[in-house]
Amino acid sequence: MSVDAAGENEHSRYLIGIDLGTTNSAVSFIDSNVENWSVNTFAIPQLVAPGQVETRETLPSFHYQAAQGEFPDSSLNMPWDLQPQRRVVGLFAREQGKLVPGRVIESAKSWLCHSGVDRLSPLLPWRGADDVDQLSPVDVSAAYLRHLREAWNVTHPHDLFEAQDVVITLPASFDEVARELTIQAARQAGIPKVILIEEPQAAFYEWINAHQADWESRVSSGQNILVCDVGGGTSDFTLIRVRSEKSVDGNSDNESTVQFHRIAVGNHLILGGDNLDLTLAQKLEEKLTKGGKLEPRQWGSLVRICRHAKETLLAEDAPESYTVNIPGVGRKLIGGGLQVEVSREEARNWLLEGFFPRVDLKDKPVTARSGFQEFGLPYASDAAITRYLAMFLNEHCGKVLMKEEHASSRPDVVLFNGGVFVSPLIRERVIQVIKHWYAGKDANWEPQVLANARHDLAVSRGAAYYGMVRRGEGVRIAAGLPRTYYIGVGSTDNQQALNALCLMPAGVEPGYEVDLKQHLFQLTISSPVKFPLFYSSTRSTDAAGELLPIEREQMSALPPIRTVLKSRTHRESVSLPVYLHARLTEIGTLQVWCSEASGSRTWQLQFDVRSATQTDKSGHIGTGEAAGVLDQESVELSDRLLRETFGSNATEKPGGLPKRIAKAIELSREDWPPSLLRRQWDLLMDLEAARKKSAEHEARWLNCLGYALRPGFGVAMDDWRVTETWKLLRGKLLHPGATTLAEWWVLWRRIAGGLPVGQQQAIVNPLLNSIRDDYRRSVDVSREKKPVRGINNHELSESWRMLGSMERLSLKAKVELGTMIIHFLDDPHRAPIHAALFWSLGRLGARVPFYGPLNSVVSIEVVSDWLKQLATGRQKQPEKHLLVMLLARRTDDRYRDIDESLRSKVVAWLTSQDASPHFITLVQEGGELAAQEGALVFGEALPVGLSL
């Protein structure tokens, strides 16, 4: 079914196919009113220069925002724009972006898959100019789609785009989250009804369309067709099996027809043409700087120029060399440019051997961190695309095909798709590699190659053709579910020991429903429940309802399903037996619901896309549970001591409560597992009324609550616990004295990792206003600096530590806080809180966040200025070592790393201070924090089993 089923039975005149590409987008269409219909290309109007609109067959997937006054008013307007525009997409955006890289957005499609950032927040252009209005990956994708819709509507005013059947393509390896984000972008662009199809399938549909007269003579039953799709941002592998099916029309018992079955899809890889550009740029940077690094602006220009250099040098008629010219920066903009020459042989050696090396079929990708850190994208760890292809053919295809008699996993036919394969050199290399793998004794064997005339248009044309296939015309590919989906369930004896229940098996068709009535689940009314979800691209034979151990190497985690079951007949928590049901929709997403075992009520279970699109709602991966569970007697002792302190019939004073519990269960507080801590949180929430008794009760209750919930994530349902804590406590401090205020700040510091940006801002704002007033008074030269009177230093220190822990604050707020801290550190009267200020500044400017998204990292320029003011002086200050290390820690990301000259000075200063050798190593070489260092960054020891 389509996203919007309204009017599904009414056929629109046009069927529109959209290739929403990483580098280029395209639109094709079919006029169904024409009897002998054909697929046509929509020429897309776009700016090619200010004030100059022309049509092109593709729309470059680039978004540029002009600076104020950069171009004359309305010169960036399209015919449908009513107000002067400063934003432009398409060809001019791409070309202008080469000159001013800090204002251009590219590869938005790759960002839709990046779980390390909040994909719904404005973060692009990544490390862009300060005055650019940043957009989310979804916003940028919507901008491209909106341009296509408006362009169509100008030329088809009586058949509006939004009223047609629209098919959008996406990588076969996109999971449910990326699919949902694509749908969201379409809706945001004003396209309410969308059908999705995988790009490799669309490319094959275009081949069928182009060979309607003779496709049956070109392929035969029993063959495997490998679709290799390597575009600008992703690599996709798909295997289609050609099978002979008996005719069911009753005309002949012996008549059979050839059918296509999509049987395997590879895992998602952010590895494509962009990576080739980056590699070429990296090699040329080494030539230009003799091992150094270019300024970020020059690097951005070099990467974009290398895209054209790559295409030129990998062409069949490539010149012997290519000269790259890079503009200067700053005052050297004119006359300060750089020039370097790259030979054809150099480029081909770097790119062919680096990305398409000759490897053996048994070879597997190297599991190491990608060398490309500049753009913040999670690029594949191994650049060798041929190694991923070998792994795909070994692990995915063989297991599926071995179910068929006489089947072989050898790809008999290859269809290339994607901009990378425009190069005949790369196509030929892949054919040579496959021949090496499978030819055996038959030296003359090689796979047959199917050709699509236009790699840049094949996907959109195939998408339009698929629109007709859905109406019963053309040749259909039977595309069953490429992965198996599982739901995590606990055992009756041990709820922490998860097993995987097969929810939706691979191979099923859209519309397939599963009723798992062989398993009865106990759910609780009026209380949140959470089901972990997993998928596997390699386990293709598991059956629905089968209970299996979780194989971490074969099963990947997805965002969990969450819900709160509510009923008018049950206001309190009541356990309820239910059955699970699931359905596969046509767009490849899961619908899951539960039904009452002994009644007629049903509840929809929500697939939690937000947990994978926003880093403040991270999908749970079960680290906290791995720490184990205490015996029931210890748990009951802890419960009893909490009630004796905070219960209505309390007999103990709050002081010394943690020590009493530690002594009773014979386990130090630092060793309490998360399972016990979260149990304590649950009971403390029930005993919240004890806060009213006295300031001492409230302070101890806040202390225990924050300790039990730290660090705000890591255990299933922690996001719900943090939300409940927020709703209960927001603005409700009952005894606002110095001690309770200190514990109030400690609580929010401890659970900051579970607070979304809005809640962090709400906690910080009142305090920030007070600090601003203090800062203004202290910089007033007419006032003599005097000690700050009437302020408790302990409470003040904890408030600053809390501020530093709020990693989701805006960059503007972080820079403002950092600037004030630097000023306060010069005030000797504030010496009692200097240690807290050092810690807070370290967290605010850290090169590697503790939990926050990468788009929350303060700029190099600001942090470098802080370091120059801090890493000075001979007086040894051990409390400053952590701060300096966090600000100067190496990441190998030029947009986060300080320059080498400053790094050398920082290392020299740390050495003179007798700082930790590992701190010095982290600054010089990078690496991971040790356990005790993680505790320093967090502010105290993390719960057992949880780590950075």
Side-chain angles (χ1 to χ4, degrees):
M1 70 176 190
S2 62
V3 174
D4 184 356
E8 183 69 16
N9 295 324
E10 298 177 7
H11 290 327
S12 63
R13 174 179 176 180
Y14 291 100
L15 299 105
I16 300 174
I18 301 177
D19 175 10
L20 187 61
T22 305
T23 308
N24 290 285
S25 297
V27 177
S28 299
F29 67 95
I30 294 171
D31 186 347
S32 64
N33 284 357
V34 177
E35 184 175 353
N36 296 317
W37 55 266
S38 62
V39 181
N40 304 284
T41 300
F42 175 62
I44 306 168
Q46 57 196 286
L47 280 175
V48 297
Q52 184 177 347
V53 176
E54 296 180 5
T55 60
R56 294 288 189 273
E57 289 183 319
T58 62
L59 179 79
S61 301
F62 293 79
H63 181 289
Y64 184 84
Q65 180 182 322
Q68 188 71 41
E70 185 177 356
F71 300 104
D73 285 351
S74 302
S75 64
L76 300 185
N77 281 27
M78 292 299 296
W80 53 82
D81 290 324
L82 301 178
Q83 300 294 329
Q85 297 294 313
R86 288 172 55 198
R87 295 177 179 177
V88 59
V89 301
L91 190 146
F92 180 65
R94 182 188 69 191
E95 296 308 307
Q96 189 66 14
K98 294 177 183 177
L99 303 175
V100 194
R103 311 191 72 86
V104 69
I105 298 172
E106 57 186 305
S107 302
K109 184 174 177 180
S110 296
W111 287 93
L112 287 179
C113 316
H114 189 356
S115 60
V117 297
D118 179 347
R119 287 168 276 177
L120 296 177
S121 75
L123 55 92
L124 299 177
W126 188 249
R127 302 300 175 193
D130 291 339
D131 62 331
V132 171
D133 296 329
Q134 292 190 302
L135 302 174
S136 75
V138 174
D139 292 335
V140 180
S141 300
Y144 302 146
L145 291 170
R146 188 180 300 108
H147 182 99
L148 299 177
R149 179 178 67 83
E150 297 280 12
W152 173 278
N153 288 348
V154 165
T155 55
H156 299 79
H158 302 298
D159 295 285
L160 297 180
F161 193 97
E162 51 267 36
Q164 311 309 310
D165 285 348
V166 179
V167 181
I168 297 180
T169 66
L170 72 177
S173 54
F174 261 24
D175 62 20
E176 284 70 13
V177 175
R179 289 169 185 262
E180 292 285 356
L181 290 174
T182 304
I183 292 167
Q184 182 172 335
R187 286 175 174 157
Q188 197 170 311
I191 309 173
K193 188 169 66 172
V194 171
I195 302 151
L196 301 182
I197 184 176
E198 299 163 3
E199 289 164 3
Q201 279 192 71
F204 188 63
Y205 271 128
E206 165 55 11
W207 180 84
I208 294 172
N209 172 58
H211 299 84
Q212 292 186 50
D214 63 348
W215 67 263
E216 289 184 275
S217 65
R218 293 172 178 261
V219 296
S220 58
S221 178
Q223 287 185 324
N224 300 322
I225 301 172
L226 171 66
V227 183
C228 282
D229 185 354
V230 182
T234 57
S235 291
D236 259 332
F237 307 122
T238 294
L239 199 73
I240 297 172
R241 179 76 166 166
V242 186
R243 291 173 178 156
S244 179
E245 304 285 347
K246 285 285 184 71
S247 175
V248 294
D249 58 11
N251 294 330
S252 171
D253 291 337
N254 298 319
E255 186 177 351
S256 62
T257 59
V258 171
Q259 293 191 1
F260 299 105
H261 293 257
R262 196 278 315 279
I263 58 172
V265 169
N267 290 324
H268 184 69
L269 295 172
I270 297 187
L271 178 63
D274 288 353
N275 299 82
L276 274 71
D277 303 338
L278 286 167
T279 294
L280 187 56
Q282 194 177 63
K283 297 292 185 181
L284 296 184
E285 181 184 41
E286 291 173 4
K287 276 190 167 187
L288 285 164
T289 64
K290 297 181 180 179
K293 285 196 173 187
L294 295 170
E295 294 291 328
R297 177 173 172 172
Q298 289 181 308
W299 168 254
S301 296
L302 177 60
V303 171
R304 289 160 182 83
I305 294 168
C306 282
R307 178 176 290 116
H308 185 262
K310 170 199 69 180
E311 294 168 355
T312 302
L313 294 172
L314 290 180
E316 204 160 19
D317 56 347
E320 290 187 3
S321 65
Y322 186 98
T323 301
V324 173
N325 293 289
I326 309 168
V329 294
R331 296 179 180 177
K332 297 181 180 180
L333 188 58
I334 299 175
L338 299 172
Q339 185 178 89
V340 65
E341 188 170 295
V342 55
S343 72
R344 178 177 60 201
E345 294 309 309
E346 279 180 315
R348 291 182 175 183
N349 182 60
W350 292 334
L351 302 180
L352 270 180
E353 301 307 323
F355 289 88
F356 298 93
R358 296 176 176 89
V359 300
D360 291 332
L361 185 58
K362 64 181 179 181
D363 288 351
K364 292 186 177 182
V366 178
T367 55
R369 188 175 69 159
S370 168
F372 299 125
Q373 304 298 318
E374 280 84 358
F375 294 101
L377 285 168
Y379 291 120
S381 58
D382 192 333
I385 293 173
T386 43
R387 268 196 282 270
Y388 288 103
L389 177 57
M391 183 174 69
F392 167 72
L393 293 172
N394 266 319
E395 296 186 357
H396 297 258
C397 308
K399 292 182 180 179
V400 174
L401 290 164
M402 287 306 106
K403 295 187 292 184
E404 299 183 22
E405 189 176 358
H406 308 304
S408 166
S409 62
R410 185 179 78 177
D412 307 286
V413 181
V414 176
L415 175 65
F416 291 112
N417 189 60
V420 168
F421 288 120
V422 169
S423 167
L425 298 176
I426 295 178
R427 296 198 303 270
E428 180 59 29
R429 171 58 63 87
V430 173
I431 292 299
Q432 291 173 4
V433 170
I434 294 175
K435 181 177 180 179
H436 167 67
W437 291 342
Y438 292 104
K441 296 180 180 179
D442 185 0
N444 294 321
W445 178 88
E446 65 178 36
Q448 174 190 351
V449 177
L450 305 180
N452 271 329
R454 293 285 298 272
H455 286 271
D456 55 345
L457 298 178
V459 168
S460 66
R461 291 176 61 83
Y465 178 86
Y466 174 64
M468 291 302 293
V469 169
R470 295 183 73 252
R471 295 186 182 182
E473 300 187 39
V475 179
R476 187 182 189 95
I477 302 171
L481 185 66
R483 306 174 184 87
T484 302
Y485 288 83
Y486 309 85
I487 196 162
V489 296
S491 67
T492 304
D493 298 329
N494 185 359
Q495 288 295 318
Q496 307 301 333
L498 282 180
N499 287 313
L501 179 68
C502 182
L503 182 64
M504 187 67 66
V508 301
E509 297 286 340
Y512 185 83
E513 292 191 9
V514 172
D515 295 312
L516 302 177
K517 290 195 173 181
Q518 64 269 55
H519 298 282
L520 195 64
F521 293 89
Q522 292 292 329
L523 295 184
T524 305
I525 296 288
S526 303
S527 183
V529 291
K530 182 175 185 175
F531 294 100
L533 276 182
F534 305 91
Y535 72 90
S536 175
S537 298
T538 59
R539 299 181 65 97
S540 57
T541 59
D542 294 337
E546 192 172 354
L547 200 60
L548 306 155
I550 292 177
E551 299 286 349
R552 294 292 180 181
E553 292 185 357
Q554 296 183 10
M555 298 178 182
S556 301
L558 278 171
I561 289 178
R562 310 165 187 262
T563 193
V564 177
L565 304 183
K566 295 185 178 180
S567 173
R568 288 176 294 177
T569 60
H570 295 289
R571 294 186 179 180
E572 298 180 357
S573 296
V574 176
S575 183
L576 185 73
V578 298
Y579 295 117
L580 276 180
H581 313 268
R583 183 180 186 274
L584 178 66
T585 71
E586 189 161 338
I587 61 173
T589 57
L590 290 174
Q591 290 181 345
V592 185
W593 66 97
C594 59
S595 63
E596 191 176 10
S598 57
S600 58
R601 292 175 297 176
T602 61
W603 293 269
Q604 182 79 29
L605 303 183
Q606 297 299 319
F607 179 80
D608 189 16
V609 174
R610 184 168 179 254
S611 71
T613 60
Q614 294 180 307
T615 52
D616 59 348
K617 289 286 183 183
S618 300
H620 178 59
I621 56 175
T623 55
E625 289 84 346
V629 182
L630 286 184
D631 61 277
Q632 191 60 28
E633 183 181 357
S634 296
V635 172
E636 290 173 357
L637 280 171
S638 171
D639 289 353
R640 192 192 75 196
L641 290 169
L642 287 171
R643 287 194 175 92
E644 288 177 353
T645 304
F646 297 117
S648 56
N649 298 316
T651 57
E652 296 287 344
K653 291 184 178 181
L657 173 61
K659 291 182 179 179
R660 293 198 296 272
I661 296 176
K663 182 177 180 180
I665 65 175
E666 299 180 352
L667 192 67
S668 66
R669 196 185 192 198
E670 293 75 19
D671 294 328
W672 295 352
S675 57
L676 175 65
L677 292 169
R678 299 313 189 255
R679 169 70 175 254
Q680 290 178 345
W681 174 88
D682 189 54
L683 185 53
L684 285 164
M685 291 289 282
D686 287 341
L687 299 173
E688 183 265 341
R691 288 200 297 151
K692 300 176 182 178
K693 294 182 178 181
S694 69
E696 184 183 10
H697 279 84
E698 182 168 36
R700 178 53 59 189
W701 183 87
L702 290 169
N703 180 281
C704 291
L705 191 76
Y707 192 84
L709 192 48
R710 76 191 202 287
F713 56 90
V715 179
M717 301 307 299
D718 272 353
D719 55 341
W720 172 79
R721 292 186 183 95
V722 171
T723 299
E724 292 299 299
T725 303
W726 170 262
K727 289 192 296 187
L728 183 69
L729 293 184
R730 183 177 54 173
K732 295 179 182 178
L733 191 60
L734 304 179
H735 304 276
T739 303
T740 48
L741 273 170
E743 295 297 350
W744 179 260
W745 303 131
V746 170
L747 164 70
W748 297 120
R749 170 180 62 77
R750 281 172 165 165
I751 69 171
L755 294 168
V757 60
Q759 292 176 5
Q760 290 196 357
Q761 198 67 53
I763 293 170
V764 166
N765 280 342
L767 191 58
L768 190 55
N769 290 331
S770 173
I771 294 171
R772 285 173 180 147
D773 290 340
D774 187 19
Y775 175 72
R776 282 191 289 267
R777 287 193 298 270
S778 66
V779 297
D780 190 344
V781 294
S782 65
R783 295 175 182 269
E784 182 181 350
K785 286 187 177 180
K786 295 180 180 180
V788 180
R789 300 186 183 279
I791 295 179
N792 180 281
N793 285 325
H794 175 58
E795 185 263 317
L796 190 58
S797 292
E798 293 301 346
S799 69
W800 273 108
R801 290 179 184 274
M802 182 277 297
L803 289 169
S805 70
M806 298 294 179
E807 291 187 357
R808 295 192 177 100
L809 292 180
S810 68
L811 291 175
K812 182 180 179 181
K814 288 184 175 183
V815 173
E816 182 184 13
L817 283 167
T819 301
M820 291 189 288
I821 289 174
I822 294 287
H823 173 77
F824 290 149
L825 286 171
D826 283 336
D827 184 355
H829 298 303
R830 298 178 192 267
I833 67 166
H834 277 185
L837 294 174
F838 286 141
W839 186 90
S840 182
L841 187 61
R843 286 290 299 272
L844 289 168
R847 302 297 80 202
V848 181
F850 175 68
Y851 61 82
L854 289 177
N855 50 296
S856 69
V857 176
V858 174
S859 71
I860 304 171
E861 293 76 18
V862 170
V863 165
S864 297
D865 183 56
W866 291 351
L867 279 169
K868 289 171 185 176
Q869 299 179 65
L870 292 166
T872 57
R874 295 183 179 181
Q875 181 184 358
K876 293 187 177 181
Q877 297 177 285
E879 65 273 15
K880 196 191 290 187
H881 299 170
L882 176 68
L883 158 63
V884 171
M885 181 276 288
L886 290 173
L887 300 185
R889 183 177 172 187
R890 180 184 287 275
T891 67
D892 292 325
D893 176 350
R894 78 183 66 235
Y895 293 95
R896 286 188 282 162
D897 280 349
I898 60 175
D899 64 52
E900 291 306 310
S901 61
L902 180 56
R903 187 182 307 282
S904 297
K905 293 177 182 178
V906 169
V907 168
W909 182 83
L910 287 172
T911 302
S912 70
Q913 288 271 311
D914 295 327
S916 159
H918 193 233
F919 278 11
I920 297 173
T921 299
L922 288 170
V923 172
Q924 282 184 313
E925 305 170 14
E928 301 299 322
L929 297 175
Q932 65 273 22
E933 292 165 344
L936 290 175
V937 172
F938 178 58
E940 62 186 308
L942 286 163
V944 178
L946 296 180
S947 60
L948 293 176

